[in-house]
């Protein structure tokens, strides 16, 4: 009877077969870590301050427009506040909200000059604030309303990316509100 020997498994090959997939996995993990770090570092370097401005010619005099922009009771007629939950008034110059989608906040009129300018501040949950103004200028055909807002997002690297898009995002909301106001004044 002859004995047959079975070849021993080549244990040296098993680790070799695992090396390539492990290298690939580590390369993927390393690449993701590098990309995430780069994303955060770039976010820290992006501007934290933002500014948005929109203007609209209105077929109404500054005297006709001013009551809509200087009285917070009139703002819901041209601002998209109708979709905010928990909107309330603490006094004639302040509006607060507590909305599950956007959190808590307050809008406060800070300066009102008849028929020319209204300045305000908005504070939202997390300490973020916005300063805004609505300026009226008389024209032969009525007036021009210029709406400006500025804000700062602080050191949050993710909000640096949001700051880059504020002109487009907030600007679109401002344009919708100005369209609604123009319709009201017709």
């Amino acid at each position: 009877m002859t004995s047959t020997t079975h070849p021993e498994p080549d244990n040296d090959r098993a680790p070799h077969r695992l090396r390539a997939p492990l290298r690939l996995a580590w390369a993927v993990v390393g690449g993701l870590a590098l990309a995430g770090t780069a994303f955060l570092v770039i976010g820290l370097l992006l501007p934290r301050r933002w500014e948005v401005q929109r203007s609209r010619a209105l077929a109404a005099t500054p005297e006709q427009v001013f009551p809509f922009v200087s009285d917070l009771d009139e703002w819901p007629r041209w601002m998209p506040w109708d979709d905010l939950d928990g909107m309330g008034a603490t006094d004639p110059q302040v509006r607060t909200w507590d909305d599950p989608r956007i959190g808590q906040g307050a809008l406060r009129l800070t300066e009102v000059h008849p028929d020319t300018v209204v300045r305000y501040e908005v504070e939202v949950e997390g300490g973020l604030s916005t300063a805004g103004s609505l300026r009226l200028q008389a024209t032969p055909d009525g007036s021009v309303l210029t709406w400006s807002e500025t804000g700062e997002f602080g050191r949050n690297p993710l909000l640096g990316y949001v700051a880059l898009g504020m002109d487009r995002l907030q600007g679109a909301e401002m344009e919708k509100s100005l369209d609604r106001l123009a319709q009201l004044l017709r």
Side-chain angles (χ1 to χ4, degrees):
M1 186 183 246
T2 63
S3 76
T4 52
T5 58
H6 297 289
E8 292 288 320
D10 189 358
N11 287 334
D12 291 336
R13 285 187 164 188
H16 181 67
R17 279 184 273 161
L18 293 176
R19 283 186 196 148
L22 280 175
R23 280 189 198 148
L24 178 61
W26 279 112
V28 168
V29 168
L32 289 173
L34 184 61
T37 301
F39 181 80
L40 292 175
V41 168
I42 291 169
L44 284 171
L45 298 174
L46 291 174
R48 295 183 301 265
R49 292 191 57 70
W50 56 270
E51 184 173 339
V52 179
Q53 181 173 301
R54 296 294 189 269
S55 294
R56 178 66 42 92
L58 301 169
T61 66
E63 295 81 12
Q64 293 169 316
V65 177
F66 195 73
F68 290 98
V69 299
S70 64
D71 182 350
L72 291 179
D73 287 335
E74 294 293 328
W75 281 38
R77 294 180 68 190
W78 59 278
M79 291 283 291
W81 286 356
D82 50 347
D83 61 349
L84 282 179
D85 290 342
M87 178 64 79
T90 57
D91 72 42
Q93 302 291 315
V94 179
R95 291 298 176 271
T96 61
W97 59 88
D98 187 2
D99 187 89
R101 294 166 292 155
I102 63 170
Q104 295 177 337
L107 179 138
R108 182 173 291 101
L109 296 184
T110 59
E111 201 175 323
V112 177
H113 298 282
D115 303 329
T116 57
V117 67
V118 173
R119 287 190 174 84
Y120 62 91
E121 290 178 352
V122 178
E123 292 180 28
V124 294
E125 203 168 4
L128 301 177
S129 65
T130 299
S133 68
L134 298 154
R135 294 184 169 278
L136 282 163
Q137 182 178 349
T139 65
D141 297 327
S143 60
V144 171
L145 178 61
T146 301
W147 189 356
S148 302
E149 285 190 343
T150 61
E152 186 169 326
F153 283 138
R155 302 288 306 159
N156 184 327
L158 299 179
L159 292 179
Y161 290 98
V162 176
L164 286 178
M166 284 302 286
D167 187 67
R168 181 179 49 82
L169 297 169
Q170 187 65 5
E173 293 303 313
M174 293 165 100
E175 288 171 10
K176 285 185 219 173
S177 295
L178 290 171
D179 287 346
R180 288 172 73 172
L181 182 60
Q183 290 287 24
L184 264 173
L185 293 166
R186 285 185 188 200

